[in-house]
Amino acid sequence: MEASFDTAPCLYFACDDGGRLLDVNETLCRRLGYRRDELAGQPVDLLFTLATRIFHQTHFAPLLRLRGSAEEIYITLRTKSGEELPVLVNAAGADGSTGLQFVAIPLLHRKQFEDELIAARKAAEDALRENTELQRIRAELQAHTALLDEQMSVVERQNEELRQVSRVVTHDLQEPIRKLMVFLNMLREEGPGKPAVLDKVLRVSGELRSVVAGLQQYVWLTDAFCQPADQDLGHLLLLVQQELAAQYPDVQLQVSHGALPPVHGDRKQIHLLFYQLLDNAVRFRSSPTEARVRLAVTRVTHNRFRNLKDRYDFAEYLKLQLSDEGVGFDPAYAEQAFALFRRLHPQSGHGIGLALCRKVIENHQGSISIDSMPGSGSTVTFFLPCTTAGAGAPDPKNEYHEPEAQDHTLR
């Protein structure tokens, strides 16, 4: 029996009341690296680390004196080579003596298990916290979804009403106006009436027809499905210049610019945008026979969010600045210039050109503004998406470098 205990899979040692070792088993000697005769009569503290010695003197020994035994006490033993061996120990008074007996079981992976338990508990607490936060966010999202659905219903009703009004304005009114102009022309040619009065009526009818046509374009931009693609900006400018040369045969339109990168947008809408901008430059020129325009292009990083505070989604845009040398206007009316049917000059058209421009820019998630000064011309600044092909890191100076400017003049 004693031989079996000597090699049992546990560490056994006994000491007297003075803390001197009386007996150890072979298993303890093997695990700690001692011979039995090296431990006989030695202080029991020889087996303890410094931390365990302090714990033994302040807690473990008083507990044994008070209760006579202790179970599952975690301490650390010290091997002969100085390494630490964590163990779980039971201790009790020796039978028929005043000494103590200790039985210890090594816990080589206890620290690892404890760390894993702590990590698992922390992960569980984090998951519970995230789940609570997720439930709160889900409830908020549900409330926002209900509000959004209600708002979408209101918007859908308003859009349907707008579509009904647009059908009346752009279709039902077009035909009566056309017939009115036809009959007025017939009356002017055949009747002996007052030509001056008929001329005024014809002019007003023509203006009304132009207003309806402008509204038709505005409604089209509101309802049109944007089909963005990479557009050759230089080619579009030439087409617009050709149209304006035919419309204003007595005016020389000069457009200068550097290299023009492709722009990503709807072809028809981008064409309309530059037509309206260049038409304004010709219409409000300071010279009776010439209109000069300068187009500058810069590649920038632009925030897509324009109305939400503290929300950012940056993307590469082209910043285009179209400057003319026209008559200009009071900068106090810069924002009003984009209002529908707002006229800033007596010689203005119908006040819809810049409103159409803003609608095109909004359809492309950009922005537009205008700076002007009486007698110093105007500069329209607007942002359009960059081409998707070959999009790489932005230029270190955050701008598109232009080579020597090119001059395109059409008469």
Side-chain angles (χ1 to χ4, degrees), residues 11 31 54 84 92 112 142-143 247 265 287 330 335 383 404-405:
L11 283 63
R31 295 301 296 265
I54 297 173
E84 294 184 356
Q112 176 184 350
Q142 183 68 23
Q247 184 176 345
S287 169
D330 190 335
E335 183 60 30
F383 295 85
E404 184 178 353

Side-chain angles (χ1 to χ4, degrees), residues 185-199:
N185 281 320
M186 292 174 59
L187 181 61
R188 186 168 184 260
E189 293 174 359
E190 298 179 1
K194 301 178 180 179
V197 175
L198 290 178
D199 288 342

Side-chain angles (χ1 to χ4, degrees), residues 287-362:
S287 169
T289 60
E290 184 182 47
R292 294 185 178 182
V293 177
R294 165 71 179 171
L295 177 61
V297 183
T298 308
R299 192 184 299 273
V300 299
T301 301
H302 193 56
N303 184 17
R304 295 178 187 268
F305 289 107
R306 291 172 292 166
N307 300 314
L308 296 179
K309 294 182 178 180
D310 301 325
R311 292 293 183 271
Y312 304 96
D313 181 17
F314 291 100
E316 284 194 26
Y317 274 70
L318 291 180
K319 177 182 178 182
L320 300 101
Q321 291 182 296
L322 195 69
S323 304
D324 62 40
E325 301 175 358
V327 296
F329 60 87
D330 190 335
Y333 301 104
E335 183 60 30
Q336 300 180 26
F338 295 98
L340 195 60
F341 297 125
R342 178 57 60 93
R343 301 174 60 182
L344 302 182
H345 290 285
Q347 67 269 34
S348 296
H350 303 290
I352 198 171
L354 287 179
L356 294 175
C357 293
R358 182 168 65 176
K359 179 63 67 174
V360 171
I361 295 298
E362 289 175 348

Side-chain angles (χ1 to χ4, degrees), residues 214-233:
L215 279 175
Q216 188 173 18
Q217 285 184 311
Y218 193 83
V219 172
W220 166 69
L221 288 174
T222 302
D223 292 338
F225 178 72
C226 192
Q227 297 178 317
D230 294 342
Q231 307 295 341
D232 185 341
L233 195 52

Side-chain angles (χ1 to χ4, degrees), residues 386-400:
C386 288
T387 175
T388 55
D395 187 90
K397 294 185 178 180
N398 201 30
E399 63 181 35
Y400 186 89

Side-chain angles (χ1 to χ4, degrees), residues 74 86-88 107-116:
Y74 178 75
V87 296
L88 199 63
L107 298 175
L108 299 178
H109 304 292
R110 176 187 174 95
K111 185 67 168 61
Q112 176 184 350
F113 293 153
E114 288 180 344
D115 291 342
E116 291 177 355

